[in-house]
Every structure is written in structure tokens, then in C-alpha cells.
Amino acid sequence: MPNSNAKLHSNHRGGREASRRELVSRSLQSAQHCLESQDFGTAYAHYLLVLNLAPELKTTVKETFQFTLFKWAEELDSLARIQDLFNCYEQALELYPNDEVICNSMGEHLFRMGFRDEAAGYFHKAVKLNPDFADAKENFYRVANWLVERWHFIMLNDAKRNLTYLRAIQNAVHSGSKSVLDIGTGTGILRVSLVVTETVDAGLFGEGIVESLIHAWEHLLLQPKPKNQDISAGDYGRVIPASATIFGMAVECKEIRRHHRVGMREVAGVCLSNSVQFFSPTYAAAGSEETVEPYTTEKLSRIPGGYRALTEPCQVMTVDFNDLQELKSLADRKPWKLSLPVTEGGILDAVVVWFVLQLDEEHSLSTSPSEETCWEQAVYPVQGLLDYSVKTGDTVMMEVCCQDCYLKIQKISSLPSECGMDFSDRDDTLSLGNEAELCNALAGLQTSTKQDGSTPVCVLESTEIALLNDIAYHECFKAAMSKVLLSLNPSKDLHSMDVDGHGSGINLQENQTTISLGVDPDALYILDVSEGFSILPIIAGKLGPVRAYSSVEKDQHQAALHVIAEANHFPKETLEFWLSHLEEESVVLQRPKSDKLWSIIILDVIETSGLIQQEVMEKAAISRCLLHSGGKIFPQYVLVYGMLVESESLLLESAVQGTEPTLGFNIAPFINQFKVPVRVYLDLSTLPCVPLSKPAELLRLDLMSPLLNSPSREVKVQICKSGRVTAIPFWYHIHLDEDHSLDTSDESSHWKQAAVVLDEPIPVQAGDELVLDVQHHKSNISITVKR
């Protein structure tokens, strides 16, 4: 009997196993059929069943399962079924908990939806699972730049700042302060027994120090020390820093000017004069919805081209952080006037601001441009004046307020010396002798242009204004586009297209019929999909019989381009906004119409930050399929250049260097998890560094002939000066064609540069040779030194 039972159980198990195998086989077949019909949701369900029934197949079906998951996730994303999407990824990660590809894909979805912290966790896990996974590394570096801004490293490496705070804290503790509160700990090395905060930005108030201290005084702190009473520090509330004094001065600075004012009346034959007023977002009259902050920031000691002080530093205001009523009154305080006598003539480009932070009676920190500090200075660019020139004896006037707990300096203007007026009174009223004197003063006051609606206003990012001021960029594109158009339509004399003197883009004397119709039926089609505001389509429209399509999105920018087009007297139909023709932005690269192809497609290849644009090679592949015979992609190829340097600054800006600057606290292992090997937005012309080699060509990216590209390359670099290699700055030569190119390291370029920072410096001697391993994967360039 026992033998019979054993046989019965054995047959039962065998039957179940056969059923399982049959179900797995059928599910695999069904999944394959669903994939062929692009029914990814059902295919995914079948694969889930297979993997739960037959875990031994995980390795076999892994790649197909990943493909199915990603396709189904894309579909769920497009349908806004977000919870279902994340449920699918959670199921997948239960089956493949250590799969770096799934982790990376999960992070990408999270990042697109704004969950940067969570995305960083998945990217970090993917990199740990596979340190050579290029996609995950690039994603982690990008999200790490969002999460931990580079100033955290600079701040933590600022030994003077840390030591000064330490000494002020020690004084307070020794005098009796025992209760602990650290507001805005950030990376957390100020742990102490009193209220300590350093929630200050370049403009002092921008990180919310006023609001947080008001809350602290009302809800967390003991009452402040009564005046003229000698009591123990432990019996009253106290704040470090105790107070701050804000200073300001007017400066001339070409670099600030070119990022905040359009200085060109004409760009590559396109007239800009008086047609549109361009402003950067810091301009108060641009509207609050466009203004992120009322100021920008710069490290003036390292700004390209330097700066000149036009006035002496002037005290703007003081604030007592231990006075609750003063803190409360800041936001309600009426604007007050401030005047700065001009001590040196020049161009009024900005008012720059810094502060002295008084930690206690003995210790202070200054963020002045002359100090070596982790802080930048706040910059208030001057915009909207009729005349920006000032001379010795003139007066720079401005209005100061703390609206919304931001320090705002607005209505900056200049008063000529011949007016003879004294505007130094900071009250809201001015003591003027008589009405005639007032009229003479106001007549001489250089105020902003009238915003009466007659002249359109266009707000551009500072990088877009710098691009508009980049003469070489536009002239280079004009010449390269002319060359292509002439080769495609040699019967048209492009050089005679402007003979009417109005820039119509068409020869009026030869083609009156075309003018009446608006557009030449044989017009060539040009598509500009570069990022942001671009006048390249208008430049193209002036070159000959073309239809130029712009990918500019903002209504304000489209309106400005229309006004410029009209001011240059060419038909409205010459310029069209391509995105308004499309249902989805994702298909921006497609045929202009059924019987046409593009003659020129302009792609943005390099970000202003100094990195390669994401998915640029994929866009180039699509673009090549959409080109008219003889048509071109601009740029046609890009050469990457780099050199070896020794730079202590780049080390300090990229990672915490040991425990010495952080007062012995071991912060580095924790914060350095978020260090990235690539520093962006660099100005090589002012970067404190010692070149150890000559520039070398590192890589070629060909957009027109991809077969010439190589995903990796070894480059031998000769050392010309002894030292320690700490970084490899790199930049680009952007070749529109063989005859026309742009250098992104040029001082007039709107592009910045980037640098790979080595984990460990490499000592070298003159005459040595290092081999660089250069890898290109998608949008990521990896440069490592082979030992």
C-alpha cells in the first residue's frame, strides 16, 4: 500500500509539471504573437506569468522582457496611467532586483515626472550594479547636478567660512547658550547649542533667512536679551549671524552687458533697430511672471574680461537678525532712493551687491568681490536706458526695496552732473528749490524707455541674449546657408536678392510676379530646430527664395520674430512656426509637406553649458532621411578638443577635499557620493589653472557621414609642463561645412566650456606622454587617463 501511494503522488507531481510546462510554452507563444502585433500590454502580462511559473527562464527571456516592459511603459506614460506604469516597474524589479537597465529606465520615468530624489536613487543603484553602464552614469551625473548644486562643495571647502562660524559658535556656547537649533543645515557641519543659520544667498535674503528667523523668534527661541541688562546667555535667545550690512556699487562689465542687453542694431543683415525691445528676466518691467529672481549672480573676480568700478562702494542697508520687529518690517518697508556719485566714467552695465555677515561682536564674513570666498555677488543688470554712458560727477540713481523678502534694486538710472541736483536724501521726498530746478533735473535724468505698448517687449534668457550678440555665429551661418542655397539653385543670384535695399529676400526687379504671390513656388525649405530664440530663419529668409520654418515656441518670441520679419520687408509667408503645424513636438523632424524635403536642417548640437545635446545623433539620423538631394545638416560635423591642466579650483568645486576644511568632520564620504566627474558652465579664459599640454583633438562627431564616427578613440597627449594633472577641459569646433566653423572656446562665443575632473591627480613631468581613452555613447563623452 505504501508503494501505491508513492506512485500516486509521483504521477500527480508529474502531471502538474507537464501542465506547468505546457502553460509556460503557450504563454511564451502568445507573448511573441502579441509583440508582433504591438500589443505590448498583453505581452507583458504573458511574460509576468511565464517568469512567475518558470523562474529558471529569467536569463533566457530577460532582453525580450525588458523590451516589452519599456514599450508598455511608454504606452502607459502616453495615456497618463502613471500608477499602472510604476506598478509594472515594481513587478519587474521584484523579478530582476539587480537589473541595472530596469533601474535606469525606472529612474528616467521618475525624473521626467519631477521626482528627482527618487530618480537619483535608481540611477545610483544602476551605476553601482554596473559602473560601466554609460546611460546610467550620464543620467546620474545630470540628476546629481540638480540635487547637489556645485556650490555645496565650494562652501564646504571654504575653510575660512567654516572656521569663522566655529569661533563664533564657541564664543556663544562658552557664554552660556545651551539649546540647539540649526536652521537650514544643508550638508550639516554646524551642529551647535544655539540658533545658527547660514541660509543666505548672494543677495542675502534669497534663501528665506528672514522668514525662517521670524518663525524661530515667534515659536522656537527664548526672548531676546533686554537692552542694558547683564544676564547669562543661556537665559535669552540669540542668533548667529547677529546682523548683516549690504553694500553696492555701479560697474562697467562687457560680460554682463552681452548677457543682458542686445547691443546690435543689425545681425548678419537682419535689422533689429527699434523693432523690438529685448530684456532679460531680471528686468522689473518685464513682468513678474517672467522674473525668477530680481538679480543674477557672478563671481566678479573671475568674470571674463573683468569689470571696472564706476562708483565707490555704498552702504545699501543693514539688518539686525536679533530684532524680530525689524525682520517683520522689512517686507513692508516702502522703497527708498539711493544715489551713488560716479567716480570714473564708462558704460553703466550693472549694480553689484555683496554683504558683510556679522556673526557676533568679534567675527565677520565678507562676500566682497575682493575676498576669496565661496559666495558670488548679486548682479542687477541695467536695462532700458536711452543712454548707458556716464562720466565723472554724474550720479547713479536707484530704488531699493525688500519686496517678497528679496532685495530688489530697480529703476536704475543716471543723472548728468550739469543738473546740479543732490539726490542723496534717502527719504521718499526730495528737497528741491523750485519747479524750474525740478524740471531741469528730470529732463537730464536718463530714465528707461517708455513702455506704452507701441514697441513690443521680448523677454529672453541671458544665454539667448548672448547668442543674439554673437556676431561670428550669425555671420558663419549666413555664409554657410548661402553656399548651400546657391548650390541647390544656381540660377538664382543670391547676392542680388537684397538690391532693393529693404532686405525683402527676393529681387524685386526680376520677379514682380513672385512678390505678388508672396512666395516663390520653387522655394527651398529650411528648418531651424535649435533651442530657444533664434533669428536664423529670418537670416535665411533674406538670402533668397526660401520658406524658413522656426521651432520657436513662446508666443512672445513668435510675435517678436514676426515684427523683425516685417521690419526687414519680406513676405509674411517666408517665415512659419513649425510647431504650430504639428500635433506633437516629438515629431518636429518630419517632411515639411508631402512633395517637399528640407534643404537645410539646423540642429542644436552643443548645450550652452558645454555638453553635447541629448539625442543629437538620433536627431541627425532622422534628419538625413528628410534632406533634399544636396541638402545639408548644420553643423555637418563637430571636433572635440581638450587639454590637460592643473587646477586646484576645479578640485574644490567638484568634491570635498578631506576633513581639514570641514573642521575635522568627515563629510566627504557622504556628500562626495553626489560628485560628478564633469564640471559645466566654465570660462576657460578666467579659470585658475596651469596648462600642462597643448590642445589636442579628442573626437570627431559627424552628423552627415556617420560611418566616419567611432565610439571610442585613444589619444596620445604630450606633457609640456611639469605638474599635477587634475582636470581635462574640453570644447568644440563646430563645422557647418569645410569652410565655416565656430569655436566654442572663443571669448565672444555664447557657449561655455566643460571639464572632466580626475578622481586622483596624476603627477607628470615635461616630456611625458599620457594616453586618453575617449568614449562617446549617445550624448555622453567619457574621458579617462590610461595608466
Side-chain angles (χ1 to χ4, degrees), residues 20 61 114 152 169 187 197 212 265 382 440 448 460 463 470 534 570 578 593 595 647 658 673 686 695 725 738 774:
R20 183 184 72 89
V61 302
H152 278 289
I169 291 165
T187 41
T197 186
S212 59
R265 289 179 175 270
V382 180
N440 286 335
S448 60
L460 301 179
T463 51
D470 192 339
S534 171
F570 63 85
W578 185 227
K593 52 192 293 188
D595 60 339
S647 174
Q673 291 185 72
T686 59
V725 178
E738 292 294 346
V774 185

Side-chain angles (χ1 to χ4, degrees), residues 364-563:
S364 64
L365 289 169
S366 172
T367 67
S368 164
S370 61
E371 295 282 339
E372 189 56 45
T373 171
C374 60
W375 279 285
E376 296 181 327
Q377 290 74 48
V379 176
Y380 298 80
V382 180
Q383 304 180 69
L385 298 188
L386 296 172
D387 183 8
Y388 294 92
S389 61
V390 293
K391 60 184 182 298
T392 303
D394 290 353
T395 303
V396 175
M397 304 291 301
M398 65 199 74
E399 189 176 88
V400 183
C401 69
C402 291
Q403 183 183 350
D404 303 323
C405 288
Y406 268 110
L407 179 66
K408 294 188 176 181
I409 296 181
Q410 52 201 19
K411 300 181 181 177
I412 304 172
S413 56
S414 64
L415 182 68
S417 56
E418 52 265 26
C419 290
M421 298 300 300
D422 180 10
F423 278 71
S424 59
D425 187 355
R426 295 190 189 178
D427 292 331
D428 291 335
T429 58
L430 296 173
S431 300
L432 300 174
N434 54 54
E435 187 175 350
E437 190 177 5
L438 172 63
C439 292
N440 286 335
L442 294 179
L445 192 64
Q446 294 293 339
T447 55
S448 60
T449 53
K450 293 182 179 180
Q451 301 294 312
D452 57 5
S454 58
T455 305
V457 170
C458 183
V459 179
L460 301 179
E461 295 297 327
S462 60
T463 51
E464 293 175 314
I465 292 178
L467 171 58
L468 207 49
N469 283 321
D470 192 339
I471 297 175
Y473 175 91
H474 294 98
E475 290 290 351
C476 189
F477 267 95
K478 179 181 179 181
M481 288 191 293
S482 297
K483 183 178 175 182
V484 173
L485 295 176
L486 189 61
S487 69
L488 293 175
N489 202 343
S491 63
K492 301 286 185 180
D493 182 4
L494 295 180
H495 299 290
S496 70
M497 293 300 173
D498 249 352
V499 294
D500 62 329
H502 300 294
S504 64
I506 298 173
N507 189 331
L508 298 180
Q509 298 164 325
E510 294 182 4
N511 207 342
Q512 292 292 340
T513 306
T514 299
I515 289 296
S516 65
L517 294 175
V519 174
D520 191 324
D522 296 324
L524 301 172
Y525 282 59
I526 295 177
L527 174 63
D528 178 13
V529 291
S530 53
E531 298 284 330
F533 187 83
S534 171
I535 63 166
L536 292 180
I538 296 180
I539 294 175
K542 287 178 61 67
L543 292 176
V546 303
R547 293 284 296 276
Y549 290 79
S550 166
S551 62
V552 164
E553 296 182 66
K554 294 182 180 179
D555 293 340
Q556 188 186 65
H557 294 178
Q558 292 184 3
L561 287 174
H562 268 312
V563 170

Side-chain angles (χ1 to χ4, degrees), residues 18 30 131 210 221 240 317 344 355 383 441 484 541 558 573 647 784:
S30 298
V210 173
L221 280 163
I240 294 178
M317 66 175 293
E344 185 173 351
F355 56 86
Q383 304 180 69
V484 173
Q558 292 184 3
E573 295 80 5
S647 174
T784 55

Side-chain angles (χ1 to χ4, degrees), residues 152-165:
H152 278 289
F153 297 112
I154 304 170
M155 178 185 70
L156 287 168
N157 283 315
D158 189 340
K160 180 181 177 181
R161 169 243 187 210
N162 300 337
L163 187 58
T164 306
Y165 256 94

Side-chain angles (χ1 to χ4, degrees), residues 62 174 224 343 446 479 556 585 688:
K62 179 179 176 179
H174 291 157
T343 56
Q446 294 293 339
Q556 188 186 65
E585 289 184 29

